[in-house]
Amino acid sequence: MLTLPPATSKPRGVAQQKQKGSNSQRDKGFEQDDEDDLIEQLNRKLSNVTLNPPTTIPDEMNMADISTMLPTFAQPLFNLLASGVYEQQLLAMVRIRKYLSLQDVLPRIDNVLALNCVSFFITFLNMSDCPDLQYETAWVVTNIAAGTTAQTERLVEAGILRPLIQNLSVSRCIHVQTQTIWALGNISGDGPPYRDLILQSGALEIILQLIEMCEDPSIAKEQKYMILRIAVWCVSNLCRGSGRCAPEWMQVTPAFPMLRRLMYIDDTEILADTCWAMCRILNGTHKMNLDTVVIDKELCMRFVTLLSEPHPTIQVPSLRSLINIASGPEFHTQLLIDAMAIPVLGSQEMLAHRNSTIRRDALLGISNITAGTADQVREVTLQDNGNVMRRVVDILRRGDVGGEELGDEILENHEEGGDWRVLREAAWVISNATSVLDLEITGHLVYRLDLLPSIAQLIDPRRERKANYGLPAIGLKHPPLMTKLLDIIFNVLRCNEHHPKEQFMKIWVNDCEGGNILLELLKLANQSLHESQLRHLENRTLPRQLQQLRFSTTDMNGNGSYAPSVPLGPSVKKRVETILESFFEFGPENDGFGPFFGERQGHGTNRSRRDGYGSDLAEDDGEDDLEEEEYNHEAAAARQQHGHQSHYGNGHRESGRTGAGATNAVDFDIEDMEDRVSRMNLV
């Protein structure tokens, strides 16, 4: 029969942050955690630093002596471990445990490993008739495994997993089992290889049985919660990265029903780890068999309710669970709508939250909903009296002003527009919404919410910009943002093509001076690739009315264009070319700029949902971000070689996240463009 330790024997330990490299260095298949997602990072590994455990043994060495025990007293300590005498071995493990519970744990772990004592640990763990020694040893292993990857590797390579998993299944002492689970949680938190070894051993099934045992009403609440805090946290670690690949995902889905029941527990720590585990299992579920993982309205409503929790450790995984559900099929999206997720995701509290990660995640959830059917997009447009979409457009108009009310007085001290990644997610919402080509939706955005001027200010590269702009041309600094803004323009003009009586093109060309903006963007995108052609065009004599449109380094007032912080790159270039080729005609029969609405090239209709996060963060649009990193790298190299001149070769990658359109337009014919400009007849 299982015996329970005193309830106060093992409170939750303090967190030890795992040391890892950059995202690009992380193991394939594991989360690529966002650099600022510190909440999740801190819970990857935990040390047990309790100083008053149930094991008591006389010891003449005080804590001051123990703090300097190694390497000074390394040989006497080794002699105790090798003595073969139970009392001396237990004393040695107690001292090591106390030593590892002090500050500066990483060098202390190195000192312990320098004793070459892992073989003793394995021997002690196998001594089933000595639970106190097993417990102290599991504790020491827990704190060593809370260290670096190299330190954890020393344990695993020596064979520590076999006795740990054996104790988990055969030990009849609950505190040995619980401490063993803690050790396995730290080891699994180190990465996919160790996590997979533990999952393949069947350890998860035993842990779930232990959690189920805690449902016995005869167990005191304090004792039950002590066990659950460790067991659920370990399950959460075992679920890390599981959504990436079907085999690993199928290994953790048996935990889903138990975790779902725990979503109503009244303990903050247990609830937080439960939400993280659920979030990770739900990552990519739409690609898997859903027989085990049942997503219904009740589950969605619970996640929506948890968004109001004041604890970010609960709020963030709940939000990401909703994102992952919304990334699934349309009936999953409808479950979220029925659970009233839209007004919560698009609330002032979420979109102006002090944490930029939550602001971005909320917009990502909304964008996955707007990737649904036209009726589902209308729900986003209409729910909460239309305030959700208004707030999204306000982010593009006024910038990311999280933590403050979106008032006009903010703009004076908000010149940079806030976190550009929040603006990009807002652009994704609008891009997906406009890509359904629904006149009611697009008309609401253009006419009532004044969308197009908000887009124009973010991409206008001209120095002689309109006086009523509230933000700088942030899109020039961040190509992933620029591409989504151009997708919105394409979608709006394409809707106008389907409904020729509408005024979308007129607003874009006349009110926003959109034709001039697009031509200037094309000049910037081509300034390196077509330098010789542009130089020829600069020197060419043009009619007076065309001088403001020519591809030159100065406009008609002698002011130059804004130089982008990074080269605009092929994705931006092809989008601009596609818009110009598809919707503009430069000839006298159209009085200059006019709706051409010819055969479109390049932009498709599929609107991708984005999983985003099984994790812990979220991966932040990896390929778009990679593209920007490539631009930054190449721009730096160009500045070294050519001063401030931009240069980019053939090594760029197109963004894989197509929202409103892809980027496979044919190469733009600069000579044809030159001819069109020469034939323009502006009125």
Side-chain angles (χ1 to χ4, degrees):
M1 182 175 178
L2 294 173
T3 58
L4 291 172
T8 58
S9 63
K10 228 166 71 41
R12 186 70 172 268
V14 298
Q16 298 288 332
Q17 184 170 358
K18 184 179 183 185
Q19 296 181 351
K20 282 286 184 181
S22 66
N23 285 345
S24 61
Q25 296 170 323
R26 296 190 196 279
D27 293 315
K28 184 178 180 181
F30 217 53
E31 279 82 13
Q32 295 186 357
D33 300 306
D34 194 272
E35 59 188 3
D36 59 359
D37 200 353
L38 298 180
I39 296 172
E40 193 281 330
Q41 284 285 336
L42 290 173
N43 284 328
R44 191 184 287 271
K45 289 190 172 188
L46 301 171
S47 290
N48 185 355
V49 296
T50 307
L51 297 179
N52 297 305
T55 304
T56 57
I57 183 171
D59 187 2
E60 69 280 1
M61 185 176 286
N62 57 39
M63 289 304 297
D65 294 332
I66 286 178
S67 66
T68 58
M69 180 175 63
L70 294 176
T72 307
F73 300 104
Q75 189 58 50
L77 184 62
F78 183 88
N79 293 339
L80 289 175
L81 292 170
S83 66
V85 179
Y86 168 76
E87 289 78 10
Q88 293 184 10
Q89 291 171 331
L90 180 60
L91 177 62
M93 293 308 299
V94 168
R95 287 178 176 176
I96 294 174
R97 181 256 298 166
K98 291 180 179 179
Y99 178 76
L100 292 177
S101 298
L102 301 174
Q103 297 295 319
D104 301 321
V105 67
L106 294 182
R108 294 181 185 278
I109 293 174
D110 287 334
N111 290 338
V112 171
L113 292 174
L115 294 172
N116 293 319
C117 55
V118 179
S119 60
F120 292 116
F121 299 164
I122 295 174
T123 300
F124 299 160
L125 289 171
N126 285 323
M127 296 171 64
S128 58
D129 55 342
C130 303
D132 286 343
L133 184 57
Q134 286 181 312
Y135 176 63
E136 290 291 341
T137 304
W139 192 334
V140 168
V141 171
T142 295
N143 285 2
I144 293 176
T148 65
T149 296
Q151 292 166 339
T152 306
E153 191 177 85
R154 289 280 300 275
L155 292 172
V156 177
E157 289 187 346
I160 204 72
L161 282 178
R162 182 182 294 273
L164 285 174
I165 294 170
Q166 178 73 7
N167 280 348
L168 183 62
S169 59
V170 304
S171 177
R172 309 308 296 170
C173 180
I174 191 65
H175 65 270
V176 171
Q177 284 186 309
T178 306
Q179 191 62 60
T180 298
I181 292 172
W182 198 331
L184 291 173
N186 276 344
I187 294 172
S188 66
D190 205 81
Y194 299 156
R195 177 206 64 196
D196 293 346
L197 286 175
I198 295 171
L199 285 172
Q200 292 163 11
S201 72
L204 178 60
E205 181 181 355
I206 303 171
I207 296 172
L208 293 177
Q209 292 173 359
L210 186 63
I211 294 174
E212 188 173 2
M213 182 203 72
C214 293
E215 296 181 346
D216 187 342
S218 64
I219 300 176
K221 182 177 180 179
E222 294 80 6
Q223 295 170 329
K224 175 174 68 176
Y225 281 15
M226 180 272 296
I227 298 169
L228 286 176
R229 284 170 189 151
I230 297 169
V232 175
W233 166 78
C234 180
V235 171
S236 180
N237 257 4
L238 290 172
C239 293
R240 286 181 186 272
S242 56
R244 305 296 179 197
C245 173
E248 291 85 358
W249 187 80
M250 293 301 294
Q251 287 179 326
V252 299
T253 51
F256 190 84
M258 178 66 69
L259 292 167
R260 180 162 178 166
R261 294 199 296 272
L262 289 171
M263 287 183 65
Y264 296 89
I265 200 165
D266 59 354
D267 182 90
T268 300
E269 292 183 27
I270 299 172
L271 182 58
D273 286 325
T274 299
C275 290
W276 277 116
M278 293 286 281
C279 168
R280 291 158 185 161
I281 292 177
L282 289 169
N283 182 29
T285 52
H286 60 285
K287 306 170 187 174
M288 313 294 181
N289 188 322
L290 297 179
D291 291 341
T292 306
V293 178
V294 178
I295 300 173
D296 54 24
K297 181 179 176 181
E298 180 188 355
L299 179 66
C300 296
M301 290 178 65
R302 181 56 181 162
F303 281 127
V304 171
T305 301
L306 291 175
L307 292 181
S308 62
E309 283 284 330
H311 307 284
T313 52
I314 297 173
Q315 196 176 38
V316 171
S318 299
L319 178 54
R320 292 177 181 175
S321 294
L322 292 174
I323 292 170
N324 291 334
I325 293 173
S327 69
E330 290 172 359
F331 75 90
H332 283 175
T333 303
Q334 191 59 46
L335 289 173
L336 291 179
I337 294 173
D338 295 341
M340 298 305 293
I342 294 173
V344 178
L345 291 173
S347 66
Q348 178 74 15
E349 290 74 19
M350 298 297 289
L351 298 186
H353 197 280
R354 65 182 182 276
N355 188 319
S356 65
T357 299
I358 290 179
R359 300 197 298 275
R360 287 176 5 229
D361 286 358
L363 288 165
L364 176 52
I366 299 172
S367 73
N368 277 346
I369 295 175
T370 58
T373 65
D375 288 338
Q376 291 171 342
V377 177
R378 289 191 193 95
E379 291 287 344
V380 178
T381 305
L382 299 176
Q383 279 196 16
D384 193 22
N385 296 319
N387 286 325
V388 172
M389 197 62 83
R390 178 187 59 78
R391 294 186 187 106
V392 174
V393 175
D394 272 351
I395 291 173
L396 296 178
R397 181 168 63 90
R398 306 184 181 208
D400 170 39
V401 288
E404 302 167 301
E405 292 293 325
L406 299 180
D408 291 325
E409 66 277 8
I410 298 295
L411 299 178
E412 296 179 3
N413 299 316
H414 200 71
E415 296 179 354
E416 294 304 317
D419 188 341
W420 72 271
R421 296 170 298 178
V422 174
L423 273 70
R424 179 181 56 178
E425 293 303 333
W428 265 98
V429 173
I430 305 300
S431 175
N432 280 345
T434 54
S435 66
V436 298
L437 304 180
D438 182 271
L439 179 59
E440 179 185 359
I441 295 169
T442 306
H444 177 79
L445 290 167
V446 174
Y447 295 143
R448 299 190 62 182
L449 300 183
D450 209 19
L451 171 66
L452 291 178
S454 302
I455 304 297
Q457 68 174 347
L458 297 173
I459 68 173
D460 189 349
R462 303 169 300 167
R463 287 199 180 276
E464 197 66 23
R465 287 158 51 90
K466 300 182 73 172
N468 62 348
Y469 284 168
L471 294 175
I474 302 172
L476 296 178
K477 300 180 181 179
H478 306 286
L481 170 61
M482 175 69 82
T483 57
K484 296 317 301 175
L485 297 173
L486 291 172
D487 283 344
I488 294 171
I489 296 170
F490 177 88
N491 292 338
V492 170
L493 297 184
R494 188 176 174 189
C495 185
N496 201 161
E497 176 190 34
H498 289 200
H499 305 278
K501 294 183 180 180
E502 299 303 319
Q503 303 296 308
F504 305 157
M505 172 68 83
K506 182 178 179 181
I507 293 173
W508 175 244
V509 171
N510 293 348
D511 298 349
C512 302
E513 301 177 5
N516 297 5
I517 292 172
L518 291 171
L519 290 174
E520 194 67 19
L521 284 174
L522 187 62
K523 186 264 293 188
L524 290 174
N526 281 294
Q527 65 181 3
S528 178
L529 296 176
H530 302 293
E531 186 175 357
S532 60
Q533 291 97 326
L534 295 178
R535 186 181 300 112
H536 172 71
L537 184 59
E538 287 172 5
N539 297 328
R540 184 168 178 169
T541 302
L542 297 176
R544 183 184 198 88
Q545 62 267 36
L546 297 181
Q547 291 179 3
Q548 61 175 321
L549 297 177
R550 63 182 190 166
F551 292 93
S552 63
T553 55
T554 59
D555 61 25
M556 62 182 180
N557 294 319
N559 297 315
S561 302
Y562 281 127
S565 299
V566 295
L568 293 180
S571 293
V572 173
K573 175 179 177 291
K574 288 186 177 181
R575 278 170 166 81
V576 174
E577 290 171 351
T578 301
I579 294 171
L580 290 171
E581 286 277 13
S582 300
F583 303 120
F584 287 90
E585 176 67 18
F586 303 94
E589 65 276 11
N590 286 302
D591 293 329
F593 282 113
F596 174 49
F597 295 152
E599 182 180 354
R600 292 179 302 278
Q601 303 178 58
H603 282 64
T605 58
N606 55 319
R607 299 169 297 130
S608 70
R609 291 182 174 88
R610 298 163 294 149
D611 295 310
Y613 306 107
S615 63
D616 322 317
L617 198 187
E619 308 159 13
D620 206 20
D621 306 335
E623 291 191 357
D624 274 348
D625 289 336
L626 177 60
E627 183 177 278
E628 183 169 22
E629 289 175 10
E630 291 174 349
Y631 295 158
N632 285 323
H633 175 74
E634 295 186 6
R639 283 193 295 271
Q640 228 174 1
Q641 297 176 5
H642 309 292
H644 291 291
Q645 203 145 15
S646 300
H647 173 78
Y648 33 92
N650 298 321
H652 295 292
R653 295 175 55 190
E654 298 294 340
S655 167
R657 298 171 56 208
T658 52
T663 58
N664 59 341
V666 297
D667 288 338
F668 197 85
D669 188 341
I670 191 69
E671 293 182 358
D672 178 59
M673 181 66 185
E674 183 179 344
D675 180 64
R676 289 185 179 195
V677 172
S678 67
R679 293 189 292 109
M680 283 185 62
N681 180 25
L682 295 179
V683 293

